[in-house]
Structure formats: structure tokens, C-alpha cells
Amino acid sequence: MSSPLNSDVYLGLRQQMVDSQLRARGISDERVLAAMLRVPRHLFAPERSRDQAYEDHPLPIAEGQTISQPYIVAIMLEALALLPADRVLEIGTGSGYLTALLAELVTQVISIERHPSLADSARRLLAGMGYDQVTVIAGDGSRGFPETAPYDAIIVSAAAPGLPPDLVEQLAEGGRLIIPVGRDDSQQLQLIYIENGKPRTTLRELCRFVPLISDPSRDQ
Ligand code: SAM
């Protein structure tokens, strides 16, 4: 008798997601594709929407937040061209799904989430899945996390009104930052690459993310 969490059923759905939503649309980084085939996205979704976990859209989670659409996640990961030895900062842990993908791809992941309840549940889920190289911090990541900078890559899953200079400053030489920039109905991914100490920006896909909310008390 199959349980609702039967891994064969979900593996089949994941394979379809990888083939029809990612590979067919031009995602070609085999490490990214393999990670997306491995990580059980349904375990990061609320129980009521598990049956939609491999569909081509974002999913609502607690605190009015979302798990991003698989295709946009794949675009962002591919753009970062991650290497196994990289140290990565993630801003906006949400459910922890992207955190798990990062942990499949690199040595160390530091992830910040402003909702303590989301940070707690992601931390527990990721630890239970054996992702020991992940640290989840509850707090405001809108200015990055200078304590453990510099990073080889920074990935932001919430839209900033403009490119935050603190994040660019926390990149190592050769470091990459991917971030959605813009307001609710007009956002675009920006990829920043540090070359000879200077940031080089490439404008990428249009997108739609929840806003990156900064804690006003940090400005006082
Ligand atoms: N990548 C996540 C996943 O796989 O579930 C989805 C992230 S969701 C689209 C964006 C997240 O960014 C939300 O959980 C939100 O609370 C968080 N967020 C917004 N502003 C933030 C900030 N200043 N610092 C940290 N997290 C923030």
C-alpha cells in the first residue's frame, strides 16, 4: 500500500518537473538538475498542498510567504554557477527548500529568515534530513550577514527596492549575487559578479517575489 509520502510516486513527479519545467526550458546545469531531482520539495510544502508540490507555480507557506516556482529557483541556482567548495549566504529561508538545494551543491550555507517561526521549522526539517552544513538564523538579512562574510555567493529570495550595497560588499573576489530588484509588479533578477574588486551587473529574467522587508530599528 502506498503511503502519501511514497518516495517512488514523488520521485516520478520530480522527474517530470525536471524534464518538462526545467530541462525543456533551457536549464542545462547538470548539478542543479540533479539536486532538484534529489530534494523532496513536497516535504517543504504544507500538508494541504503537497499534491501540488511539483507543479509549475509557487506554493503558499505559513506567515503569508511562498516557496518559489521551481523554474525560477533553477534559473537563480544556474546563474550562480556554484562550486562544491563555495560558502553561500541565503536571504529568505522560507520553507528551507532552496536551502536544501544549496546544501546539495556547496560546502557551507548560512541562511537568514525574518520570521522566527519559519526559521525554526526550516532548521528542524533540514537537520532531520541530515543537512549538517546549514546554519539557519532568525533575523533581518536585508543587509546580509557581515559576521561570516565574505561569501562566494549570495542568493536573495525576496525583492529589494534597489540593489543593497551591503550585500555587494560581502562578496569575495569572483563572488556572485543573485537578487530580484523592483516593486510588486515590476521586478527583474540582477546578477552581480565581482571581478578585480569591482561589481559587474547583468540584468536577467523578469520575476515576481514577495518583498524583502528591512527592520526599521536597524536604521536608528
Ligand atoms: N526560498 C524560499 C523557499 O524555498 O521556501 C522561499 C522564500 S520566500 C519567496 C521569501 C522569504 O524571504 C520569506 O520567508 C520572507 O519572510 C523572507 N524575508 C523577507 N524579508 C526578509 C529579510 N529582511 N530578512 C530575512 N528574510 C526575509
Side-chain angles (χ1 to χ4, degrees):
M1 175 74 188
S2 313
S3 96
L5 295 181
N6 183 315
S7 58
D8 288 347
V9 173
Y10 284 108
L11 180 59
L13 293 172
R14 253 188 334 273
Q15 184 72 62
Q16 269 177 32
M17 173 189 84
V18 166
D19 292 342
S20 65
Q21 297 172 36
L22 309 182
R23 220 182 263 284
R25 284 175 173 153
I27 303 294
S28 61
D29 182 327
E30 292 298 335
R31 291 186 72 230
V32 170
L33 293 166
M36 293 193 71
L37 185 59
R38 265 195 309 271
V39 174
R41 191 172 192 260
H42 60 280
L43 296 184
F44 295 86
E47 253 178 75
R48 65 178 181 287
S49 49
R50 274 198 179 148
D51 58 340
Q52 299 170 41
Y54 298 102
E55 293 177 8
D56 187 21
H57 52 74
L59 285 174
I61 55 172
E63 306 289 359
Q65 304 302 317
T66 54
I67 311 182
S68 309
Q69 179 197 22
Y71 177 53
I72 198 85
V73 171
I75 286 176
M76 293 171 85
L77 287 173
E78 185 168 71
L80 287 176
L82 295 169
L83 298 171
D86 282 348
R87 287 176 72 242
V88 178
L89 175 67
E90 177 192 28
I91 298 166
T93 318
S95 68
Y97 171 62
L98 172 55
T99 324
L101 291 169
L102 290 167
E104 292 279 347
L105 293 167
V106 303
T107 306
Q108 195 186 356
V109 184
I110 292 139
S111 185
I112 311 184
E113 168 55 53
R114 68 181 284 273
H115 286 290
S117 62
L118 291 179
D120 285 350
S121 58
R123 191 183 298 115
R124 265 199 309 274
L125 186 54
L126 291 161
M129 295 170 95
Y131 289 117
D132 304 333
Q133 69 280 54
V134 169
T135 306
V136 179
I137 297 163
D140 177 7
S142 58
R143 294 184 183 171
F145 193 64
E147 289 85 339
T148 48
Y151 304 99
D152 301 300
I154 302 178
I155 183 164
V156 187
S157 297
L163 183 62
D166 301 84
L167 298 190
V168 179
E169 279 162 23
Q170 288 167 36
L171 287 171
E173 175 61 26
R176 293 85 64 205
L177 161 66
I178 187 109
I179 180 170
V181 174
R183 302 279 168 197
D184 279 1
D185 51 354
S186 166
Q187 298 172 10
Q188 187 164 18
L189 288 176
Q190 294 194 11
L191 176 66
I192 288 83
Y193 175 66
I194 305 294
E195 194 174 23
N196 301 322
K198 295 210 174 80
R200 190 158 49 80
T201 302
T202 309
L203 296 180
R204 298 282 310 242
E205 290 74 5
L206 298 176
C207 56
R208 197 178 177 112
F209 279 83
V210 296
L212 183 71
I213 297 175
S214 35
D215 176 359
S217 67
R218 293 182 65 176
D219 296 324
Q220 287 161 10

